[in-house]
Each structure stands twice: as structure tokens, then as C-alpha cells.
Amino acid sequence: MQRTKNSAAKAVKKHNYWKWAFILLLAIVLGSGLFVMQQVIAPNQQAREITQKTSSHQQHATINVEMNKQQLNTTINYYLKRQQKNKKIKYQFYVDQAAVLVGTTKLLGQRVSFSLYTQPTVTSQGNILLHAKSVAI
């Protein structure tokens, strides 16, 4: 009689390997997700070094630049053209009575032109802030 009870007890103690495999897989997925999140959120060593170097310098260099409207338009459009390589949307920037961003893009298979009219103002730090006034399509 005892042998039957022991063999019945052994039969009940079967391990469910699928359950343990699922738990292991779940732990790997969660661990990997936490590791990736930690890497994304934490600043890298290179960024820390740059921050330390820039924060240790208390003086900032200033450069005074004087340009007429044509020089300003040419300079801005040179950098915009370099940035727009292999992009679907093309635009240019012009300063005249107002600052205008003019461009073209494809919309539903048709070429569409657009213009964004802005009013430039100078901030206390000397930067130029553009306030959008109107958009034309």
C-alpha cells in the first residue's frame, strides 16, 4: 500500500516546465526593459563632462555681427538648404518688412506652396524671437 501512495505522490509533484519558462522569459523582458529605460533616462558620461566643462566657465564670449537684409537672407538660406537635403519639404526664409518663411511640399500628390509671416522682436539677451502673424497656403 505504501508503494502506491509514494508513486501517487510523485505523480502529483510533476513540475510544469512551461510555467517556469514563462516566468524566466517575463523576468528577462522586464529586466531588459528596465535596463533600456535606465540607459535612456540617465545622462551619459560624455554629456556629464560637457556639462561640467561648460558650467565651470563663468564668462561667455560674445560676438557682435552686423549684416544687411540681403546678407542675413543669404546666410540663413545657406544653412537651411544644407539642413533640408533629402527632405520632402523645402523652404526658404526672407527678411523684408516682416520675416517670411516660404516653402513647398507635396500634399495628396499635389505640390502646395505655403508662407508663414512673422514679426521679429529682439529679446533682452540679444536673440531674435519670431511671433507668427499669419499663414498662407
Side-chain angles (χ1 to χ4, degrees):
M1 242 350 190
Q2 278 185 336
R3 268 194 172 167
T4 337
K5 285 184 181 179
N6 285 339
S7 61
K10 285 182 183 179
V12 174
K13 284 193 169 186
K14 260 188 170 178
H15 293 288
N16 189 349
Y17 294 108
W18 288 107
K19 178 174 117 179
W20 291 107
F22 174 76
I23 291 172
L24 178 65
L25 181 64
L26 183 64
I28 290 171
V29 169
L30 289 176
S32 299
L34 290 174
F35 175 76
V36 168
M37 287 299 294
Q38 189 268 337
Q39 293 297 320
V40 168
I41 292 172
N44 62 11
Q45 182 64 26
Q46 200 174 30
R48 272 190 240 126
E49 289 174 5
I50 291 171
T51 304
Q52 289 172 353
K53 287 178 183 178
T54 55
S55 64
S56 65
H57 299 292
Q58 295 300 322
Q59 297 176 344
H60 299 283
T62 58
I63 299 173
N64 293 327
V65 178
E66 291 185 28
M67 294 182 174
N68 61 28
K69 288 180 186 179
Q70 182 182 5
Q71 292 169 329
L72 179 64
N73 290 337
T74 304
T75 303
I76 291 172
N77 288 317
Y78 170 76
Y79 287 106
L80 286 176
K81 190 174 185 178
R82 286 179 58 193
Q83 182 184 6
Q84 295 174 46
K85 285 186 180 178
N86 302 324
K87 304 284 184 187
K88 291 184 179 183
I89 190 167
K90 303 289 184 191
Y91 52 92
Q92 294 180 336
F93 187 79
Y94 298 103
V95 175
D96 194 22
Q97 300 298 326
V100 183
L101 184 75
V102 179
T104 59
T105 188
K106 270 193 166 182
L107 183 66
L108 300 173
Q110 299 293 322
R111 290 205 110 357
V112 177
S113 298
F114 62 90
S115 301
L116 173 66
Y117 296 91
T118 63
Q119 182 65 43
T121 57
V122 179
T123 65
S124 60
Q125 293 86 17
N127 298 323
I128 299 173
L129 185 63
L130 300 174
H131 297 280
K133 293 296 179 185
S134 66
V135 176
I137 298 177

